[in-house]
Amino acid sequence: MPYEVTRTTLPGMTHFPPPAEELRLLDAELRQLDARRAQLLTRRAWLVFALQRTQQPPPVALSPATPPRPETAAPSVQNVLLVLGGVLLTLAAAVFTLVSWGHMGIAGRALVLGAVTLAALAGPALLLKRGLRSTAESVAGLGLALTVLDAYALHEAALTGTDGTGYAAAASAVLAVIWSAYGLLPATAALRLPLPSALAAAQFPLLLWALAADAGPYVITAALLMTAGLDVVAALRVTAGSVRITAVVGAYGMGGWGVLAAGWLSLTADGPGAAARAGGLLLLAAGIALGAAWRGPGTRHPLGLAIASGLLTVGASGGVVARSGLPSEWAVPSYLVCGIALLAAVRAGRLPDAIRRGFAWASGVVQALALLWTLPVVTVVLLGPAGWVGRVWSGAPSDARTAVTVEAPWPADSAAAPAVLVAVAAVLALAVRTERWRARARLGALGLLWATALLLPAVLGIPYVAGMSVLGVMTAAGLYVRRTTVPAARLIALVLALVTSVSLALTALASQTATLVVLSVLVALLAAASWRASAAPVTAPAALVYAAALASATGAAADWPPAGTALLVLAVPASAALLAARLGEHRATVPVEIVGAVTGLLAVGLAATDPPLLALVLALCGVITAGTALRPGRRPVGYAATALFVLASWVRLAAWDVGTPEAYTLPVTVPALLVGALRRRRDPRASSWTAYGPGLAATLLPSLVAAWADPHWTRPLLLGTAALLVTLLGARHHLQAPLVLGGSVLALVTLHELAPYVVQVTGALPRWAPPALAGLLLLALGATYEQRIRDVRRVREVLGRMN
């Protein structure tokens, strides 16, 4: 077909139905689709339900024939039965031996007990061949218990004359050998019970032999330590787990008792000989612990054993040195020297790492205990001067020791405390070489040297003035060291300087001259240190505190009354305010302001006994506070300034014996109303209750209370006139607070003034008149109830539209 023919004939061959017919066809198709969709959704719901039913497990009916679930496994039941059987047989054998022994002859007794023992000891071999291991263990335990009964029976039958303790020692040794041999036999080597039992029996022979021989405490202690040494050897050489556990328990138990006994003997030794014998025992214990630690893979705690060995070595050597003729106060330094020597030996010798670290820890423990010994002396020197607070200016003491022992006694044997502090400081400064701990160790050494310098004046008993001079030099040195570049060192130096300054100030309270001089020096030192910005947050407030104390002390030295001294103290908050304004946003600003506020409260407290001076102090505090409020970030302080001015005026009025309340309230009302007017001018949407309510209530309410109690007419007239003016102003400017407050006060004043006449008229009326008037009033109110409601709503709407 030519192209032109197709182009002209195809439009005529295409059929397009009319719109109505096409719309009908579309609706029919949509209905068919909806029906098919509903059919598919129904089928889907049925399939989901069927799947849910098939996934649920069917209920299982409990059949009576179903056996119950066992609560205990068969091996557990077997072990319980075997243990109970062995215990019962052992008890039966013991009862037979102890009770029924006397009813048989010597041959029968030996035959029965020997036969039972041999049978019990031979039974485990047969049971092991049949694979009954647990039963064999139970029967073996019975056999071992029977051997103990055999030993007891032998003593009761044939060896009654022998010493019981000595026989027990020999019996325990023989039983240990027999049980060991029994546990090592090829037929019974698989048993776990004989060897640990033999080791447990071996704990007693040496101790019991020492007790049987009436040996002294040194021999008994040596027996304990030797037993512990044998336990250590067994723990290191034996591979069986149960035997090693028994050996470790025995080593710690017997060794612990031996160490405690040896330590007590060393501490209570009364001479070099006794101390040497106790030291030998301690060295024996140290050697045992060191041997156990050296064989590291064989022990689980080599570090702890090394620490114990080091401590025991120090205890032994230190005890001998301390009892070699030295004074009693040098006992602790003797132990300290031995501890430091142990640290030197660690650095010089070639020891395993665990032992080296253990010895280092042991040396550190000794040094820490030595420092703990000096703590009572340091506490007395630091806190003792606080006793002068209750004895201010009672007289300068004779020396520095008397200055610190005001309420507490001087600790005995404390002359060597500075030597201990210096020795530990030297160790920290020289012995610690690791990068991680070097800086901290040097800071610790600095603190210990400071404590030494603090103790020396009291320990040496130098004169009182010289002791205070030492404290002053320490304070200045601490503030100077504060200039170092190490942050931690700066902090430590600053703290030490402040603590020393507090101790110096308390010590100076004993003398008036010393107090004034010391406080002046401290103010100068701390003020000079405050020029450095990093120290100002601490030193500037401290300088202000000492300045307040100096002002108080100056007033007291001049015999001024406390109220007069308050004016001197006010110089401190004034200086604080000026300094805070100069500092600006510095970190020291807030601490300085806080100290200034506290010293201001101190001035107010000092002036509380003199109302005129109290008013002056409050006014000056208000001036200082107002000056602070001028700074941009301290605007809210203006409220405190206003309160101070008001309090000053009230105190002044009270000093003048002014009893009129308006004299107290009007100075508050007028500024409050002015502030409220300014606020309303800046923010017209501000509520009248916020702007004018407090000011109006400050005068109207106290005056109303006074007017009700005033028999004259002047106050009610003036108050009523003022309330009327307030009400008219509130109505004129549509302000809710003046209208409500003024109207209420005016109504109450009017009621108070008309009350006598109302009472007089009520008394003149007959008795039936008040009820009748009340009834008429109720009728009138009832008749016009709806109108009254509308009037009330209208008034409420009018008041609601007012601000």
Side-chain angles (χ1 to χ4, degrees), residues 401-694:
R401 181 178 297 184
T402 309
V404 299
T405 55
V406 184
E407 301 290 344
W410 182 253
D413 297 337
S414 57
V420 170
L421 295 174
V422 171
V424 177
V427 172
L428 291 176
L430 301 176
V432 179
R433 299 179 181 178
T434 59
E435 294 294 336
R436 180 181 178 183
W437 296 99
R438 182 183 301 173
R440 301 177 185 178
R442 290 180 178 178
L443 291 177
L446 176 63
L448 293 177
L449 291 177
W450 168 82
T452 304
L454 190 68
L455 292 182
L456 280 177
V459 172
L460 299 178
I462 64 176
Y464 171 67
V465 177
M468 287 195 301
S469 301
V470 172
L471 294 178
V473 171
M474 290 175 60
T475 303
L479 295 175
Y480 180 79
V481 175
R482 177 67 178 77
R483 303 173 62 181
T484 183
T485 58
V486 181
R490 290 203 304 265
L491 178 61
I492 295 296
L494 182 59
V495 171
L496 296 180
L498 291 178
V499 173
T500 308
S501 68
V502 173
S503 179
L504 175 60
L506 292 175
T507 306
L509 293 177
S511 171
Q512 174 179 324
T513 305
T515 301
L516 296 176
V517 173
V518 166
L519 290 178
S520 301
V521 171
L522 290 178
V523 170
L525 285 176
L526 293 171
S530 301
W531 285 104
R532 297 184 62 86
S534 58
V538 178
T539 56
L544 292 175
V545 170
Y546 286 125
L550 177 61
S552 302
T554 302
D559 292 331
W560 288 3
T565 306
L567 296 176
L568 283 178
V569 176
L570 274 181
V572 177
S575 302
L578 295 175
L579 179 59
R582 181 179 180 82
L583 291 174
E585 300 297 330
H586 195 272
R587 290 183 304 164
T589 302
V590 175
V592 166
E593 290 176 340
I594 292 175
V595 173
V598 173
T599 53
L601 293 177
L602 174 63
V604 172
L606 291 174
T609 57
D610 192 341
L613 275 178
L614 177 59
L616 177 60
V617 170
L618 288 172
L620 294 176
C621 290
V623 172
I624 298 171
T625 308
T628 303
L630 295 177
R631 293 164 50 197
R634 299 295 185 267
R635 301 300 186 191
V637 182
Y639 296 105
T642 303
L644 289 172
F645 285 129
V646 171
L647 287 175
S649 62
W650 287 356
V651 172
R652 183 71 265 182
L653 292 173
W656 286 338
D657 296 330
V658 176
T660 304
E662 288 78 10
Y664 297 89
T665 58
L666 285 177
V668 178
T669 297
V670 173
L673 293 177
L674 292 176
V675 173
L678 292 175
R679 181 173 183 181
R680 287 275 299 176
R681 185 175 180 180
R682 295 179 179 178
D683 185 10
R685 293 178 298 178
S687 174
S688 62
W689 288 103
T690 304
Y692 303 116

Side-chain angles (χ1 to χ4, degrees), residues 698-781:
T699 294
L700 292 178
L701 297 182
S703 298
L704 178 63
V705 174
W708 274 59
D710 194 348
H712 303 287
W713 58 273
T714 307
R715 187 188 301 275
L717 177 61
L718 296 176
L719 180 60
T721 302
L724 178 60
L725 292 175
V726 171
T727 304
L728 294 177
L729 289 174
R732 171 68 179 80
H733 296 283
H734 300 282
L735 298 175
Q736 192 178 82
L739 181 61
V740 173
L741 289 175
S744 301
V745 172
L746 180 60
L748 292 174
V749 171
T750 304
L751 177 62
H752 175 264
E753 293 302 314
L754 297 178
Y757 302 102
V758 173
V759 172
Q760 183 178 0
V761 171
T762 303
L765 292 175
R767 293 188 176 181
W768 54 267
L773 292 175
L776 291 175
L777 179 61
L778 292 176
L779 288 176
L781 290 176

Side-chain angles (χ1 to χ4, degrees), residues 155-228:
H155 179 270
E156 293 297 325
L159 302 174
T160 55
T162 60
D163 178 60
T165 305
Y167 179 79
S172 59
V174 172
L175 288 176
V177 173
I178 294 175
W179 291 352
S180 299
Y182 179 73
L184 294 176
L185 292 175
T188 57
L191 295 175
R192 299 179 179 177
L193 188 60
L195 291 180
S197 301
L199 189 58
Q203 306 299 312
F204 304 102
L206 293 178
L207 177 62
L208 293 177
W209 274 330
L211 293 175
D214 292 330
Y218 294 95
V219 177
I220 295 175
T221 304
L224 291 172
L225 293 177
M226 291 178 65
T227 304

Side-chain angles (χ1 to χ4, degrees), residues 325-402:
L326 292 176
S328 59
E329 60 265 19
W330 290 97
V332 173
S334 300
Y335 287 99
L336 178 60
V337 170
C338 296
I340 297 174
L342 178 65
L343 187 61
V346 171
R347 290 190 174 277
R350 295 181 179 179
L351 300 174
D353 290 339
I355 296 179
R356 293 176 66 253
R357 287 188 288 114
F359 281 1
W361 276 101
S363 178
V365 170
V366 173
Q367 296 176 53
L369 293 176
L371 292 179
L372 187 64
W373 175 74
T374 64
L375 187 60
V377 188
V378 177
T379 303
V380 169
V381 173
L382 277 178
L383 303 181
W388 292 109
V389 174
R391 305 179 182 182
V392 178
W393 298 351
S394 58
S398 58
D399 52 30
R401 181 178 297 184
T402 309

Side-chain angles (χ1 to χ4, degrees), residues 17-163:
E21 181 66 15
E22 186 177 1
L23 180 60
R24 185 184 64 79
L25 293 175
L26 290 176
D27 290 339
E29 291 290 339
L30 291 174
R31 283 194 297 271
Q32 291 178 2
L33 290 175
D34 291 337
R36 182 60 178 167
R37 175 181 174 81
Q39 181 183 2
L40 293 175
L41 288 175
T42 304
R43 180 64 179 174
R44 181 183 182 278
W46 184 86
L47 291 173
V48 171
F49 177 74
L51 288 175
Q52 290 177 352
R53 291 191 60 184
T54 57
Q55 290 176 358
Q56 292 179 356
V60 179
L62 295 177
S63 174
T66 302
R69 181 182 178 183
E71 296 182 356
T72 306
S76 301
V77 176
Q78 166 192 306
N79 294 333
V80 171
L81 294 178
L82 291 175
V83 171
L84 287 177
V87 171
L88 292 177
L89 288 176
T90 302
L91 292 176
V95 171
F96 170 77
T97 303
L98 297 175
V99 178
S100 300
W101 183 257
H103 300 289
M104 301 178 64
I106 184 66
R109 287 178 286 181
L111 180 62
V112 171
L113 195 56
V116 172
T117 303
L118 291 176
L121 293 176
L126 301 176
L127 293 172
L128 287 174
K129 290 182 180 180
R130 294 179 177 270
L132 302 177
R133 184 186 182 89
S134 299
T135 306
E137 294 285 354
S138 299
V139 176
L142 175 61
L144 298 180
L146 288 175
T147 57
V148 177
L149 295 176
D150 288 339
Y152 170 77
L154 179 62
H155 179 270
E156 293 297 325
L159 302 174
T160 55
T162 60
D163 178 60

